[in-house]
């Protein structure tokens, strides 16, 4: 497959107003309204803290060659999250101390690798949010293999990732989806978060959760329907 390089200037800019609103929502609340876009639960935050909100810069590399990733590290800017498709390889680590420092120097928000990373102690000291399946001593090399892509659709964590998609991450996991899809449910999610403290307070007054959420009424209807069928 030939190399496919598309300029980052084609990416939509990160919507700063949307990003500010997303900073107010509990990311798992989005899981009440969305089904797609949630990465494999094995893809975890291995370095950094807090919450990750950024624009996906997509990179596909071959299992052993990180030449294209090194090139990309010099192109990203503030708010970008480099998302790396390793072609299914989880032995060779393309992300390590030098690459992640290169991203940090450019103001990138973080990185996600559909594989493994290395230099984990240095990455944790640096503090940039990094998501990976684990760590490895075996690293990629700069072979210059004419294969891979930049700023093209890839796969990461079992979900399709398009250039410019929103990347949301915290200690629970990752959500990567088009900004419009996330924005469409954000109002409902924020409202849920506003109402949750009162719901939790009601639990400590002795009110059953099922009655507060309506689940118990639904169960009663299901039982009634089952009894008449």
């Amino acid at each position: 497959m030939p190399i496919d390089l598309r300029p980052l200037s084609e990416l939509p800019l990160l919507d700063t107003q949307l990003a500010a609103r997303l900073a107010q929502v509990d990311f798992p609340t989005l899981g009440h309204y969305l089904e797609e876009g949630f990465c494999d639960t094995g893809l975890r935050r291995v370095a950094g803290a807090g919450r990750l909100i950024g624009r996906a810069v997509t990179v596909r590399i071959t299992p052993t060659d990180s030449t294209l990733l090194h090139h990309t590290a010099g192109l990203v800017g503030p708010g970008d999250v480099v998302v790396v498709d390793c072609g299914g390889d989880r032995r060779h680590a393309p992300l390590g101390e030098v690459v992640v420092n290169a991203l940090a120097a450019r103001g990138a928000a973080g990185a996600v690798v559909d594989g493994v990373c290395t230099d984990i102690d240095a990455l944790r000291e640096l503090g940039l949010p990094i998501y990976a399946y684990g760590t490895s001593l075996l690293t990629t090399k700069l072979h210059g293999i004419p294969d891979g892509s930049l700023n093209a659709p890839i796969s990461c964590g079992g979900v399709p990732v398009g250039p410019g998609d929103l990347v949301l991450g915290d200690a629970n996991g990752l959500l990567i989806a088009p900004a419009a899809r996330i924005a469409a449910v954000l109002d409902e999610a924020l409202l849920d978060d506003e109402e949750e403290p009162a719901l939790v307070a009601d639990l400590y007054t002795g009110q059953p959760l099922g009655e507060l959420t309506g689940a118990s009424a639904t169960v009663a209807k299901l039982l009634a329907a089952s009894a008449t069928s």
Side-chain angles (χ1 to χ4, degrees), residues 69-113:
L69 178 58
H70 279 225
H71 172 68
T72 303
L75 303 177
V76 297
D80 286 338
V81 179
V82 175
V83 183
V84 186
D85 181 341
C86 301
D89 181 73
R90 296 185 185 174
R91 297 183 65 238
H92 298 80
L95 281 181
E97 182 176 7
V98 172
V99 171
V100 174
N101 270 283
L103 298 178
R106 300 283 299 181
V112 179
V113 57

Side-chain angles (χ1 to χ4, degrees), residues 99-227:
V99 171
V100 174
N101 270 283
L103 298 178
R106 300 283 299 181
V112 179
V113 57
D114 190 49
V116 293
C117 64
T118 195
D119 299 325
I120 189 62
D121 290 336
L123 300 192
R124 287 173 175 166
E125 183 176 350
L126 180 61
L128 197 70
I130 303 295
Y131 287 76
Y133 279 103
T135 60
S136 176
L137 291 174
L138 178 61
T139 68
T140 52
K141 284 78 174 173
L142 297 179
H143 294 307
I145 297 172
D147 186 14
S149 66
L150 168 62
N151 198 27
I154 62 170
S155 176
C156 182
V159 303
V161 180
D165 279 357
L166 272 179
V167 182
L168 306 181
D170 63 12
N172 299 291
L174 278 167
L175 167 61
I176 308 178
R181 185 69 188 94
I182 296 175
V185 302
L186 184 54
D187 286 343
E188 293 176 284
L190 287 167
L191 183 59
D192 269 6
D193 283 349
E194 289 178 12
E195 295 175 344
E196 187 171 294
L199 174 65
V200 171
D202 286 342
L203 294 174
Y204 285 94
T205 68
Q207 298 185 63
L209 177 61
E211 291 184 7
L212 293 169
T213 63
S216 295
T218 300
V219 170
K221 291 178 181 179
L222 294 173
L223 290 174
S226 178

